[in-house]
Amino acid sequence: MSQIFLDEVGKILSPQYILVNDQDKTPYLTDWRKRYTGKALAVLLPANAVEVAAIVKLCAKTNTAVVPQGGHTGFCGGATPDNSGKQVVLNLKRMNQIREIDVANQTISLEAGCILQSIQDKTAEQGFLFPLSLGAEGSCMIGGNLATNAGGTNVLRYGNTRDLCLGLEVVTAQGEIWNGMKGLRKDNTGYDLRDLFVGSEGTLGIITAAVMKLYPLPISQWTTLVATQDIASTIALLNLFQQRATSLLTGFEMMTHESLALNEKHFPNMANPLKGNPPYTILIELSDHESEAHVKQLLESILEEAFESGLISDAVIASNLSQANSFWHMREHITLAQAQEGANLKHDITIPLSSLDRFIQETDKLMRAKYPGIRIINFGHLGDGNLHYNIAPPEGSDFKAFNLANEKPVHELVYAQVELCNGSISAEHGVGQLKLDGLRAHKGEVAHELMKAVKRALDPQNILNPHKVVSI
Ligand SMILES: Cc1cc2nc3c(=O)[nH]c(=O)nc-3n(C[C@H](O)[C@H](O)[C@H](O)COP(=O)(O)OP(=O)(O)OC[C@H]3O[C@@H](n4cnc5c(N)ncnc54)[C@H](O)[C@@H]3O)c2cc1C
C-alpha cells in the first residue's frame, strides 16, 4: 500500500516536494522539546489548497493517516507522527502567501504557512498591528497558531488566536475544500464551523488559509519592570492597572526570582535590572494611540499609587524601544534557559485569578514535601491567569532519571490542585499527544464523549492526526 501511495502522490506533487529519504525527513520528525521522535512514510510539501485536498483524498482512499505540520514549535507533540512509519507529514511551509490586506475592513487574508513574525512585519508596514505575539514567532506559522488556538503575550487586550480569526479555508477529511474566507464580524448562521476547526490541532481538518483581524498600530508604548513580594500583591497590582489603564494595558507578565536566576545562568547578558532579583518581577506594558507623554504620565501615576499602597518595592521604566525589547527578551528567554538546563516537567495551566495565590501556596507546599530540593520555575501570562508551573529536579541531579521516575505523579499532583481550583490543564499549548490521557479526566465524561462524536462525524476514517487530542 505504501508504494501505491507514493506512486499516486507523485501525480500530485513534483518529486522535490515528496521527501522520502531519512536525511530529508529527519528535521520534520522530532518536536521542538525533543520529547517525541516519529517516523513517516513521507513528508509532503504542497503549494496550495488544491494540492492539499488531492493529498487528503488520496489519504482517505488508501487509509493513510496524515499529520499536518506548521513551524513544528508546538509543545504537545501534536505535529510529530507516530512510530509506525505509515503516516505522512503534511508540512504547509510553502503556502506562505499573503492574499490581501483589506484596509477598509481591517483584515488580512493569508495562507496557513505564513510565519507569524513576517505577518507582524508586513502588516506594520501598512500601519496595522497584528497582535498575536509569542516566543516562537520567528518560526511558528499562522496555520499552527490557529490549530493550537495559541495565546501569547497580548491575550489580555486582544484575546487568543481564536478571537483574532474571522474566516477560514479548510480541507476536510474527505478532501473537500470548505471556503469560509469571510471577513465578517457578525455571521449568525447556525453552527460555527470556524470555531470548531480553531484549536482542533489538525484532528478535524487542515487549515489552508485564514482571514484575521487587524488593529491600528499603537503610536506610543511604555514598558516597565516592577518588583512585588508575593502573588496577592501582584494580583492587586494587576487589578489596579486594569482599573486605571483599562484597554491601554496590553501586557502583564510574571517572572519569579528562580526563573530569572536560571535566565542569568544560561544567558549572562539577561540579568534582571531590578535590584537583588526580587521574589517576583512583573513586566507591564501600556500601549495607546495618544501621545507618548500621555501614556508615560498615566504609567507613572499608577506606579506611584502602587508604591504608596505598598504593592511594589521597585520599578524601572524602559527609556527607549531597545530597553523595552530587552525586558521582553528576558521574559521570552526563560523557556530557552529551561531547555538549556534540561528537560523539565512542564505545566501550562490557567487558574481563576481569585484562586491563584492559594493554588501556588498549596501546590508548592505539597511538591516540596514530596520532592525535597525540587526547583519550581514559575512564570507566565499572569494577566490571563496563565501559569507555566514547571518542575526541575534538585541542583546537580540527573534530569532524565528524575523525570522518568516522577513525571506521572508530579503531573497528577499539579492537575489535582488545578481541578480543586476549577482551572484548566492546558491554558494555551493544547493537548496533542502529551495530554491525551489527562484530557478525559479533566473534561469529564459528557464533554469527552461530545468531542469524540464531533471527531467521528467529521473524520469517520480517523485519518486526520489520529491519537492526538481525542482517541476514537
Ligand atoms: C520558545 C517558544 C515559546 C512559545 N510561547 C508560546 C506562547 O506564549 N503561547 C502559546 O500559545 N504557545 C507558545 N509556544 C508553542 C507554539 O509556538 C504554539 O503552539 C504555536 O501556535 C505552534 O505553531 P506551529 O506552526 O509551530 O505549529 P506545529 O507545532 O507545527 O503544530 C501544532 C499543532 O497544530 C497542527 N497544525 C499545524 N498546522 C496546521 C494546519 N495548517 N492545519 C491544521 N492543523 C495544523 C499540528 O498537527 C499540531 O497538532 C511556544 C513555543 C516555543 C518554542
Side-chain angles (χ1 to χ4, degrees), residues 32 68 70-75 78 92 141 145 147-148 151 201-202 207 381 428 465:
W32 190 89
H72 213 182
T73 65
F75 280 151
L92 297 172
M141 298 174 192
N145 301 144
T148 56
E201 301 182 50
I207 297 167
H381 314 297
E428 58 175 10
N465 221 1

mmCIF file with all atom_site columns, all heavy atoms in Angstrom, residues 32 68 70-75 78 92 141 145 147-148 151 201-202 207 381 428 465, ligand 1:
data_model
loop_
_atom_site.group_PDB
_atom_site.id
_atom_site.type_symbol
_atom_site.label_atom_id
_atom_site.label_alt_id
_atom_site.label_comp_id
_atom_site.label_asym_id
_atom_site.label_entity_id
_atom_site.label_seq_id
_atom_site.pdbx_PDB_ins_code
_atom_site.Cartn_x
_atom_site.Cartn_y
_atom_site.Cartn_z
_atom_site.occupancy
_atom_site.B_iso_or_equiv
_atom_site.pdbx_formal_charge
_atom_site.auth_seq_id
_atom_site.auth_comp_id
_atom_site.auth_asym_id
_atom_site.auth_atom_id
_atom_site.pdbx_PDB_model_num
ATOM   1   N N   . TRP A 1 32  ? 9.841  20.258 19.010 1.00 0.00 ? 32  TRP A N   1
ATOM   2   C CA  . TRP A 1 32  ? 10.755 21.319 19.493 1.00 0.00 ? 32  TRP A CA  1
ATOM   3   C C   . TRP A 1 32  ? 11.381 20.951 20.832 1.00 0.00 ? 32  TRP A C   1
ATOM   4   O O   . TRP A 1 32  ? 12.555 21.205 21.074 1.00 0.00 ? 32  TRP A O   1
ATOM   5   C CB  . TRP A 1 32  ? 9.975  22.640 19.612 1.00 0.00 ? 32  TRP A CB  1
ATOM   6   C CG  . TRP A 1 32  ? 10.853 23.833 19.871 1.00 0.00 ? 32  TRP A CG  1
ATOM   7   C CD1 . TRP A 1 32  ? 11.452 24.617 18.921 1.00 0.00 ? 32  TRP A CD1 1
ATOM   8   C CD2 . TRP A 1 32  ? 11.249 24.373 21.136 1.00 0.00 ? 32  TRP A CD2 1
ATOM   9   N NE1 . TRP A 1 32  ? 12.186 25.614 19.528 1.00 0.00 ? 32  TRP A NE1 1
ATOM   10  C CE2 . TRP A 1 32  ? 12.079 25.486 20.883 1.00 0.00 ? 32  TRP A CE2 1
ATOM   11  C CE3 . TRP A 1 32  ? 10.979 24.043 22.459 1.00 0.00 ? 32  TRP A CE3 1
ATOM   12  C CZ2 . TRP A 1 32  ? 12.636 26.273 21.896 1.00 0.00 ? 32  TRP A CZ2 1
ATOM   13  C CZ3 . TRP A 1 32  ? 11.540 24.815 23.477 1.00 0.00 ? 32  TRP A CZ3 1
ATOM   14  C CH2 . TRP A 1 32  ? 12.355 25.911 23.187 1.00 0.00 ? 32  TRP A CH2 1
ATOM   15  N N   . PRO A 1 68  ? -0.782 17.090 9.973  1.00 0.00 ? 68  PRO A N   1
ATOM   16  C CA  . PRO A 1 68  ? -0.484 18.446 9.498  1.00 0.00 ? 68  PRO A CA  1
ATOM   17  C C   . PRO A 1 68  ? 0.633  19.065 10.340 1.00 0.00 ? 68  PRO A C   1
ATOM   18  O O   . PRO A 1 68  ? 0.741  18.794 11.534 1.00 0.00 ? 68  PRO A O   1
ATOM   19  C CB  . PRO A 1 68  ? -1.792 19.216 9.707  1.00 0.00 ? 68  PRO A CB  1
ATOM   20  C CG  . PRO A 1 68  ? -2.820 18.215 10.089 1.00 0.00 ? 68  PRO A CG  1
ATOM   21  C CD  . PRO A 1 68  ? -2.105 17.009 10.606 1.00 0.00 ? 68  PRO A CD  1
ATOM   22  N N   . GLY A 1 70  ? 3.065  22.819 10.867 1.00 0.00 ? 70  GLY A N   1
ATOM   23  C CA  . GLY A 1 70  ? 3.454  24.187 10.517 1.00 0.00 ? 70  GLY A CA  1
ATOM   24  C C   . GLY A 1 70  ? 4.918  24.366 10.854 1.00 0.00 ? 70  GLY A C   1
ATOM   25  O O   . GLY A 1 70  ? 5.794  23.705 10.310 1.00 0.00 ? 70  GLY A O   1
ATOM   26  N N   . GLY A 1 71  ? 5.190  25.245 11.840 1.00 0.00 ? 71  GLY A N   1
ATOM   27  C CA  . GLY A 1 71  ? 6.582  25.509 12.224 1.00 0.00 ? 71  GLY A CA  1
ATOM   28  C C   . GLY A 1 71  ? 7.174  24.461 13.139 1.00 0.00 ? 71  GLY A C   1
ATOM   29  O O   . GLY A 1 71  ? 8.361  24.512 13.465 1.00 0.00 ? 71  GLY A O   1
ATOM   30  N N   . HIS A 1 72  ? 6.349  23.510 13.594 1.00 0.00 ? 72  HIS A N   1
ATOM   31  C CA  . HIS A 1 72  ? 6.777  22.422 14.477 1.00 0.00 ? 72  HIS A CA  1
ATOM   32  C C   . HIS A 1 72  ? 7.357  22.969 15.787 1.00 0.00 ? 72  HIS A C   1
ATOM   33  O O   . HIS A 1 72  ? 8.355  22.448 16.294 1.00 0.00 ? 72  HIS A O   1
ATOM   34  C CB  . HIS A 1 72  ? 7.800  21.522 13.768 1.00 0.00 ? 72  HIS A CB  1
ATOM   35  C CG  . HIS A 1 72  ? 7.689  20.084 14.199 1.00 0.00 ? 72  HIS A CG  1
ATOM   36  N ND1 . HIS A 1 72  ? 8.517  19.104 13.739 1.00 0.00 ? 72  HIS A ND1 1
ATOM   37  C CD2 . HIS A 1 72  ? 6.870  19.483 15.079 1.00 0.00 ? 72  HIS A CD2 1
ATOM   38  C CE1 . HIS A 1 72  ? 8.207  17.954 14.291 1.00 0.00 ? 72  HIS A CE1 1
ATOM   39  N NE2 . HIS A 1 72  ? 7.201  18.153 15.123 1.00 0.00 ? 72  HIS A NE2 1
ATOM   40  N N   . THR A 1 73  ? 6.738  24.028 16.318 1.00 0.00 ? 73  THR A N   1
ATOM   41  C CA  . THR A 1 73  ? 7.192  24.596 17.589 1.00 0.00 ? 73  THR A CA  1
ATOM   42  C C   . THR A 1 73  ? 6.237  24.250 18.732 1.00 0.00 ? 73  THR A C   1
ATOM   43  O O   . THR A 1 73  ? 6.433  24.707 19.856 1.00 0.00 ? 73  THR A O   1
ATOM   44  C CB  . THR A 1 73  ? 7.294  26.130 17.518 1.00 0.00 ? 73  THR A CB  1
ATOM   45  O OG1 . THR A 1 73  ? 5.979  26.676 17.335 1.00 0.00 ? 73  THR A OG1 1
ATOM   46  C CG2 . THR A 1 73  ? 8.194  26.595 16.395 1.00 0.00 ? 73  THR A CG2 1
ATOM   47  N N   . GLY A 1 74  ? 5.194  23.485 18.446 1.00 0.00 ? 74  GLY A N   1
ATOM   48  C CA  . GLY A 1 74  ? 4.199  23.138 19.474 1.00 0.00 ? 74  GLY A CA  1
ATOM   49  C C   . GLY A 1 74  ? 4.843  22.366 20.615 1.00 0.00 ? 74  GLY A C   1
ATOM   50  O O   . GLY A 1 74  ? 5.835  21.661 20.434 1.00 0.00 ? 74  GLY A O   1
ATOM   51  N N   . PHE A 1 75  ? 4.242  22.519 21.794 1.00 0.00 ? 75  PHE A N   1
ATOM   52  C CA  . PHE A 1 75  ? 4.813  21.917 22.999 1.00 0.00 ? 75  PHE A CA  1
ATOM   53  C C   . PHE A 1 75  ? 4.173  20.572 23.365 1.00 0.00 ? 75  PHE A C   1
ATOM   54  O O   . PHE A 1 75  ? 4.533  19.988 24.372 1.00 0.00 ? 75  PHE A O   1
ATOM   55  C CB  . PHE A 1 75  ? 4.639  22.871 24.185 1.00 0.00 ? 75  PHE A CB  1
ATOM   56  C CG  . PHE A 1 75  ? 5.659  23.979 24.243 1.00 0.00 ? 75  PHE A CG  1
ATOM   57  C CD1 . PHE A 1 75  ? 5.342  25.203 24.818 1.00 0.00 ? 75  PHE A CD1 1
ATOM   58  C CD2 . PHE A 1 75  ? 6.945  23.808 23.752 1.00 0.00 ? 75  PHE A CD2 1
ATOM   59  C CE1 . PHE A 1 75  ? 6.285  26.228 24.894 1.00 0.00 ? 75  PHE A CE1 1
ATOM   60  C CE2 . PHE A 1 75  ? 7.894  24.820 23.819 1.00 0.00 ? 75  PHE A CE2 1
ATOM   61  C CZ  . PHE A 1 75  ? 7.561  26.036 24.388 1.00 0.00 ? 75  PHE A CZ  1
ATOM   62  N N   . GLY A 1 78  ? 1.911  17.523 18.942 1.00 0.00 ? 78  GLY A N   1
ATOM   63  C CA  . GLY A 1 78  ? 0.777  17.392 18.019 1.00 0.00 ? 78  GLY A CA  1
ATOM   64  C C   . GLY A 1 78  ? 1.192  17.239 16.567 1.00 0.00 ? 78  GLY A C   1
ATOM   65  O O   . GLY A 1 78  ? 0.490  16.614 15.773 1.00 0.00 ? 78  GLY A O   1
ATOM   66  N N   . LEU A 1 92  ? 3.113  22.695 5.742  1.00 0.00 ? 92  LEU A N   1
ATOM   67  C CA  . LEU A 1 92  ? 2.484  23.730 4.909  1.00 0.00 ? 92  LEU A CA  1
ATOM   68  C C   . LEU A 1 92  ? 3.378  24.943 4.650  1.00 0.00 ? 92  LEU A C   1
ATOM   69  O O   . LEU A 1 92  ? 2.901  25.996 4.234  1.00 0.00 ? 92  LEU A O   1
ATOM   70  C CB  . LEU A 1 92  ? 1.169  24.168 5.577  1.00 0.00 ? 92  LEU A CB  1
ATOM   71  C CG  . LEU A 1 92  ? 0.142  23.043 5.685  1.00 0.00 ? 92  LEU A CG  1
ATOM   72  C CD1 . LEU A 1 92  ? -1.048 23.464 6.511  1.00 0.00 ? 92  LEU A CD1 1
ATOM   73  C CD2 . LEU A 1 92  ? -0.327 22.587 4.333  1.00 0.00 ? 92  LEU A CD2 1
ATOM   74  N N   . MET A 1 141 ? 3.811  29.157 12.488 1.00 0.00 ? 141 MET A N   1
ATOM   75  C CA  . MET A 1 141 ? 3.038  29.613 11.325 1.00 0.00 ? 141 MET A CA  1
ATOM   76  C C   . MET A 1 141 ? 1.585  29.829 11.711 1.00 0.00 ? 141 MET A C   1
ATOM   77  O O   . MET A 1 141 ? 1.082  29.164 12.624 1.00 0.00 ? 141 MET A O   1
ATOM   78  C CB  . MET A 1 141 ? 3.134  28.568 10.206 1.00 0.00 ? 141 MET A CB  1
ATOM   79  C CG  . MET A 1 141 ? 4.562  28.389 9.738  1.00 0.00 ? 141 MET A CG  1
ATOM   80  S SD  . MET A 1 141 ? 4.705  27.046 8.553  1.00 0.00 ? 141 MET A SD  1
ATOM   81  C CE  . MET A 1 141 ? 6.484  26.875 8.499  1.00 0.00 ? 141 MET A CE  1
ATOM   82  N N   . ASN A 1 145 ? -0.755 28.320 14.621 1.00 0.00 ? 145 ASN A N   1
ATOM   83  C CA  . ASN A 1 145 ? -1.320 29.180 15.669 1.00 0.00 ? 145 ASN A CA  1
ATOM   84  C C   . ASN A 1 145 ? -2.825 28.969 15.768 1.00 0.00 ? 145 ASN A C   1
ATOM   85  O O   . ASN A 1 145 ? -3.387 28.879 16.871 1.00 0.00 ? 145 ASN A O   1
ATOM   86  C CB  . ASN A 1 145 ? -1.055 30.665 15.375 1.00 0.00 ? 145 ASN A CB  1
ATOM   87  C CG  . ASN A 1 145 ? 0.415  31.013 15.255 1.00 0.00 ? 145 ASN A CG  1
ATOM   88  O OD1 . ASN A 1 145 ? 0.784  31.856 14.447 1.00 0.00 ? 145 ASN A OD1 1
ATOM   89  N ND2 . ASN A 1 145 ? 1.269  30.373 16.040 1.00 0.00 ? 145 ASN A ND2 1
ATOM   90  N N   . ALA A 1 147 ? -4.512 26.297 14.641 1.00 0.00 ? 147 ALA A N   1
ATOM   91  C CA  . ALA A 1 147 ? -4.816 24.907 15.031 1.00 0.00 ? 147 ALA A CA  1
ATOM   92  C C   . ALA A 1 147 ? -4.618 24.685 16.524 1.00 0.00 ? 147 ALA A C   1
ATOM   93  O O   . ALA A 1 147 ? -5.259 23.816 17.121 1.00 0.00 ? 147 ALA A O   1
ATOM   94  C CB  . ALA A 1 147 ? -3.940 23.945 14.231 1.00 0.00 ? 147 ALA A CB  1
ATOM   95  N N   . THR A 1 148 ? -3.709 25.461 17.154 1.00 0.00 ? 148 THR A N   1
ATOM   96  C CA  . THR A 1 148 ? -3.500 25.315 18.605 1.00 0.00 ? 148 THR A CA  1
ATOM   97  C C   . THR A 1 148 ? -4.223 26.407 19.394 1.00 0.00 ? 148 THR A C   1
ATOM   98  O O   . THR A 1 148 ? -4.115 26.452 20.616 1.00 0.00 ? 148 THR A O   1
ATOM   99  C CB  . THR A 1 148 ? -1.996 25.409 18.962 1.00 0.00 ? 148 THR A CB  1
ATOM   100 O OG1 . THR A 1 148 ? -1.481 26.651 18.452 1.00 0.00 ? 148 THR A OG1 1
ATOM   101 C CG2 . THR A 1 148 ? -1.198 24.251 18.395 1.00 0.00 ? 148 THR A CG2 1
ATOM   102 N N   . GLY A 1 151 ? -1.935 31.436 22.438 1.00 0.00 ? 151 GLY A N   1
ATOM   103 C CA  . GLY A 1 151 ? -2.201 32.599 23.299 1.00 0.00 ? 151 GLY A CA  1
ATOM   104 C C   . GLY A 1 151 ? -1.127 33.655 23.116 1.00 0.00 ? 151 GLY A C   1
ATOM   105 O O   . GLY A 1 151 ? -1.184 34.469 22.218 1.00 0.00 ? 151 GLY A O   1
ATOM   106 N N   . GLU A 1 201 ? -6.209 21.251 16.479 1.00 0.00 ? 201 GLU A N   1
ATOM   107 C CA  . GLU A 1 201 ? -4.878 20.642 16.375 1.00 0.00 ? 201 GLU A CA  1
ATOM   108 C C   . GLU A 1 201 ? -4.762 19.635 15.224 1.00 0.00 ? 201 GLU A C   1
ATOM   109 O O   . GLU A 1 201 ? -4.161 18.566 15.370 1.00 0.00 ? 201 GLU A O   1
ATOM   110 C CB  . GLU A 1 201 ? -4.465 20.000 17.711 1.00 0.00 ? 201 GLU A CB  1
ATOM   111 C CG  . GLU A 1 201 ? -4.424 21.010 18.862 1.00 0.00 ? 201 GLU A CG  1
ATOM   112 C CD  . GLU A 1 201 ? -3.975 20.416 20.183 1.00 0.00 ? 201 GLU A CD  1
ATOM   113 O OE1 . GLU A 1 201 ? -2.949 19.736 20.212 1.00 0.00 ? 201 GLU A OE1 1
ATOM   114 O OE2 . GLU A 1 201 ? -4.666 20.646 21.196 1.00 0.00 ? 201 GLU A OE2 1
ATOM   115 N N   . GLY A 1 202 ? -5.383 19.978 14.113 1.00 0.00 ? 202 GLY A N   1
ATOM   116 C CA  . GLY A 1 202 ? -5.241 19.143 12.919 1.00 0.00 ? 202 GLY A CA  1
ATOM   117 C C   . GLY A 1 202 ? -6.032 17.849 12.962 1.00 0.00 ? 202 GLY A C   1
ATOM   118 O O   . GLY A 1 202 ? -5.828 16.984 12.119 1.00 0.00 ? 202 GLY A O   1
ATOM   119 N N   . ILE A 1 207 ? -6.204 23.424 7.969  1.00 0.00 ? 207 ILE A N   1
ATOM   120 C CA  . ILE A 1 207 ? -6.406 24.849 7.695  1.00 0.00 ? 207 ILE A CA  1
ATOM   121 C C   . ILE A 1 207 ? -5.420 25.258 6.601  1.00 0.00 ? 207 ILE A C   1
ATOM   122 O O   . ILE A 1 207 ? -4.206 25.070 6.757  1.00 0.00 ? 207 ILE A O   1
ATOM   123 C CB  . ILE A 1 207 ? -6.171 25.672 8.980  1.00 0.00 ? 207 ILE A CB  1
ATOM   124 C CG1 . ILE A 1 207 ? -7.203 25.277 10.050 1.00 0.00 ? 207 ILE A CG1 1
ATOM   125 C CG2 . ILE A 1 207 ? -6.227 27.172 8.682  1.00 0.00 ? 207 ILE A CG2 1
ATOM   126 C CD1 . ILE A 1 207 ? -6.879 25.781 11.443 1.00 0.00 ? 207 ILE A CD1 1
ATOM   127 N N   . HIS A 1 381 ? 1.788  34.329 31.656 1.00 0.00 ? 381 HIS A N   1
ATOM   128 C CA  . HIS A 1 381 ? 0.964  35.459 31.243 1.00 0.00 ? 381 HIS A CA  1
ATOM   129 C C   . HIS A 1 381 ? -0.053 35.694 32.357 1.00 0.00 ? 381 HIS A C   1
ATOM   130 O O   . HIS A 1 381 ? -1.224 35.327 32.238 1.00 0.00 ? 381 HIS A O   1
ATOM   131 C CB  . HIS A 1 381 ? 0.270  35.135 29.919 1.00 0.00 ? 381 HIS A CB  1
ATOM   132 C CG  . HIS A 1 381 ? 1.180  34.531 28.879 1.00 0.00 ? 381 HIS A CG  1
ATOM   133 N ND1 . HIS A 1 381 ? 2.258  35.207 28.356 1.00 0.00 ? 381 HIS A ND1 1
ATOM   134 C CD2 . HIS A 1 381 ? 1.178  33.312 28.271 1.00 0.00 ? 381 HIS A CD2 1
ATOM   135 C CE1 . HIS A 1 381 ? 2.858  34.435 27.450 1.00 0.00 ? 381 HIS A CE1 1
ATOM   136 N NE2 . HIS A 1 381 ? 2.223  33.280 27.403 1.00 0.00 ? 381 HIS A NE2 1
ATOM   137 N N   . GLU A 1 428 ? -2.836 27.263 26.942 1.00 0.00 ? 428 GLU A N   1
ATOM   138 C CA  . GLU A 1 428 ? -2.623 27.775 25.580 1.00 0.00 ? 428 GLU A CA  1
ATOM   139 C C   . GLU A 1 428 ? -1.838 26.822 24.691 1.00 0.00 ? 428 GLU A C   1
ATOM   140 O O   . GLU A 1 428 ? -1.772 27.029 23.492 1.00 0.00 ? 428 GLU A O   1
ATOM   141 C CB  . GLU A 1 428 ? -1.925 29.143 25.627 1.00 0.00 ? 428 GLU A CB  1
ATOM   142 C CG  . GLU A 1 428 ? -0.580 29.117 26.352 1.00 0.00 ? 428 GLU A CG  1
ATOM   143 C CD  . GLU A 1 428 ? 0.180  30.440 26.288 1.00 0.00 ? 428 GLU A CD  1
ATOM   144 O OE1 . GLU A 1 428 ? -0.397 31.435 25.847 1.00 0.00 ? 428 GLU A OE1 1
ATOM   145 O OE2 . GLU A 1 428 ? 1.366  30.445 26.687 1.00 0.00 ? 428 GLU A OE2 1
ATOM   146 N N   . ASN A 1 465 ? -4.565 13.303 11.851 1.00 0.00 ? 465 ASN A N   1
ATOM   147 C CA  . ASN A 1 465 ? -3.818 13.376 13.111 1.00 0.00 ? 465 ASN A CA  1
ATOM   148 C C   . ASN A 1 465 ? -4.402 12.460 14.201 1.00 0.00 ? 465 ASN A C   1
ATOM   149 O O   . ASN A 1 465 ? -4.745 12.928 15.298 1.00 0.00 ? 465 ASN A O   1
ATOM   150 C CB  . ASN A 1 465 ? -3.788 14.833 13.601 1.00 0.00 ? 465 ASN A CB  1
ATOM   151 C CG  . ASN A 1 465 ? -2.411 15.191 14.143 1.00 0.00 ? 465 ASN A CG  1
ATOM   152 O OD1 . ASN A 1 465 ? -1.492 14.378 14.147 1.00 0.00 ? 465 ASN A OD1 1
ATOM   153 N ND2 . ASN A 1 465 ? -2.279 16.422 14.636 1.00 0.00 ? 465 ASN A ND2 1
HETATM 154 C C1  . LIG B 2 .   ? 10.087 29.448 22.619 1.00 0.00 ? 1   LIG B C1  1
HETATM 155 C C2  . LIG B 2 .   ? 8.620  29.121 22.489 1.00 0.00 ? 1   LIG B C2  1
HETATM 156 C C3  . LIG B 2 .   ? 7.670  29.949 23.065 1.00 0.00 ? 1   LIG B C3  1
HETATM 157 C C4  . LIG B 2 .   ? 6.304  29.664 22.951 1.00 0.00 ? 1   LIG B C4  1
HETATM 158 N N1  . LIG B 2 .   ? 5.395  30.510 23.516 1.00 0.00 ? 1   LIG B N1  1
HETATM 159 C C5  . LIG B 2 .   ? 4.090  30.258 23.382 1.00 0.00 ? 1   LIG B C5  1
HETATM 160 C C6  . LIG B 2 .   ? 3.115  31.150 23.934 1.00 0.00 ? 1   LIG B C6  1
HETATM 161 O O1  . LIG B 2 .   ? 3.437  32.149 24.572 1.00 0.00 ? 1   LIG B O1  1
HETATM 162 N N2  . LIG B 2 .   ? 1.817  30.853 23.744 1.00 0.00 ? 1   LIG B N2  1
HETATM 163 C C7  . LIG B 2 .   ? 1.401  29.752 23.045 1.00 0.00 ? 1   LIG B C7  1
HETATM 164 O O2  . LIG B 2 .   ? 0.202  29.540 22.908 1.00 0.00 ? 1   LIG B O2  1
HETATM 165 N N3  . LIG B 2 .   ? 2.300  28.877 22.540 1.00 0.00 ? 1   LIG B N3  1
HETATM 166 C C8  . LIG B 2 .   ? 3.612  29.107 22.674 1.00 0.00 ? 1   LIG B C8  1
HETATM 167 N N4  . LIG B 2 .   ? 4.522  28.240 22.139 1.00 0.00 ? 1   LIG B N4  1
HETATM 168 C C9  . LIG B 2 .   ? 4.052  26.994 21.478 1.00 0.00 ? 1   LIG B C9  1
HETATM 169 C C10 . LIG B 2 .   ? 3.905  27.083 19.933 1.00 0.00 ? 1   LIG B C10 1
HETATM 170 O O3  . LIG B 2 .   ? 4.740  28.057 19.397 1.00 0.00 ? 1   LIG B O3  1
HETATM 171 C C11 . LIG B 2 .   ? 2.473  27.347 19.526 1.00 0.00 ? 1   LIG B C11 1
HETATM 172 O O4  . LIG B 2 .   ? 1.683  26.247 19.883 1.00 0.00 ? 1   LIG B O4  1
HETATM 173 C C12 . LIG B 2 .   ? 2.277  27.615 18.015 1.00 0.00 ? 1   LIG B C12 1
HETATM 174 O O5  . LIG B 2 .   ? 0.949  28.079 17.815 1.00 0.00 ? 1   LIG B O5  1
HETATM 175 C C13 . LIG B 2 .   ? 2.507  26.388 17.150 1.00 0.00 ? 1   LIG B C13 1
HETATM 176 O O6  . LIG B 2 .   ? 2.580  26.778 15.798 1.00 0.00 ? 1   LIG B O6  1
HETATM 177 P P1  . LIG B 2 .   ? 3.396  25.888 14.747 1.00 0.00 ? 1   LIG B P1  1
HETATM 178 O O7  . LIG B 2 .   ? 3.227  26.492 13.395 1.00 0.00 ? 1   LIG B O7  1
HETATM 179 O O8  . LIG B 2 .   ? 4.754  25.664 15.199 1.00 0.00 ? 1   LIG B O8  1
HETATM 180 O O9  . LIG B 2 .   ? 2.539  24.552 14.829 1.00 0.00 ? 1   LIG B O9  1
HETATM 181 P P2  . LIG B 2 .   ? 3.021  22.977 14.896 1.00 0.00 ? 1   LIG B P2  1
HETATM 182 O O10 . LIG B 2 .   ? 3.876  22.806 16.070 1.00 0.00 ? 1   LIG B O10 1
HETATM 183 O O11 . LIG B 2 .   ? 3.638  22.667 13.557 1.00 0.00 ? 1   LIG B O11 1
HETATM 184 O O12 . LIG B 2 .   ? 1.659  22.279 15.036 1.00 0.00 ? 1   LIG B O12 1
HETATM 185 C C14 . LIG B 2 .   ? 0.889  22.395 16.205 1.00 0.00 ? 1   LIG B C14 1
HETATM 186 C C15 . LIG B 2 .   ? -0.425 21.608 16.056 1.00 0.00 ? 1   LIG B C15 1
HETATM 187 O O13 . LIG B 2 .   ? -1.233 22.198 15.050 1.00 0.00 ? 1   LIG B O13 1
HETATM 188 C C16 . LIG B 2 .   ? -1.448 21.279 13.969 1.00 0.00 ? 1   LIG B C16 1
HETATM 189 N N5  . LIG B 2 .   ? -1.329 22.066 12.743 1.00 0.00 ? 1   LIG B N5  1
HETATM 190 C C17 . LIG B 2 .   ? -0.269 22.816 12.336 1.00 0.00 ? 1   LIG B C17 1
HETATM 191 N N6  . LIG B 2 .   ? -0.588 23.455 11.205 1.00 0.00 ? 1   LIG B N6  1
HETATM 192 C C18 . LIG B 2 .   ? -1.866 23.111 10.891 1.00 0.00 ? 1   LIG B C18 1
HETATM 193 C C19 . LIG B 2 .   ? -2.757 23.449 9.838  1.00 0.00 ? 1   LIG B C19 1
HETATM 194 N N7  . LIG B 2 .   ? -2.415 24.292 8.867  1.00 0.00 ? 1   LIG B N7  1
HETATM 195 N N8  . LIG B 2 .   ? -3.991 22.902 9.856  1.00 0.00 ? 1   LIG B N8  1
HETATM 196 C C20 . LIG B 2 .   ? -4.378 22.048 10.835 1.00 0.00 ? 1   LIG B C20 1
HETATM 197 N N9  . LIG B 2 .   ? -3.569 21.688 11.836 1.00 0.00 ? 1   LIG B N9  1
HETATM 198 C C21 . LIG B 2 .   ? -2.334 22.212 11.868 1.00 0.00 ? 1   LIG B C21 1
HETATM 199 C C22 . LIG B 2 .   ? -0.394 20.204 14.118 1.00 0.00 ? 1   LIG B C22 1
HETATM 200 O O14 . LIG B 2 .   ? -0.828 18.976 13.586 1.00 0.00 ? 1   LIG B O14 1
HETATM 201 C C23 . LIG B 2 .   ? -0.229 20.158 15.626 1.00 0.00 ? 1   LIG B C23 1
HETATM 202 O O15 . LIG B 2 .   ? -1.244 19.375 16.187 1.00 0.00 ? 1   LIG B O15 1
HETATM 203 C C24 . LIG B 2 .   ? 5.895  28.499 22.245 1.00 0.00 ? 1   LIG B C24 1
HETATM 204 C C25 . LIG B 2 .   ? 6.852  27.667 21.657 1.00 0.00 ? 1   LIG B C25 1
HETATM 205 C C26 . LIG B 2 .   ? 8.197  27.961 21.771 1.00 0.00 ? 1   LIG B C26 1
HETATM 206 C C27 . LIG B 2 .   ? 9.186  27.044 21.118 1.00 0.00 ? 1   LIG B C27 1
#
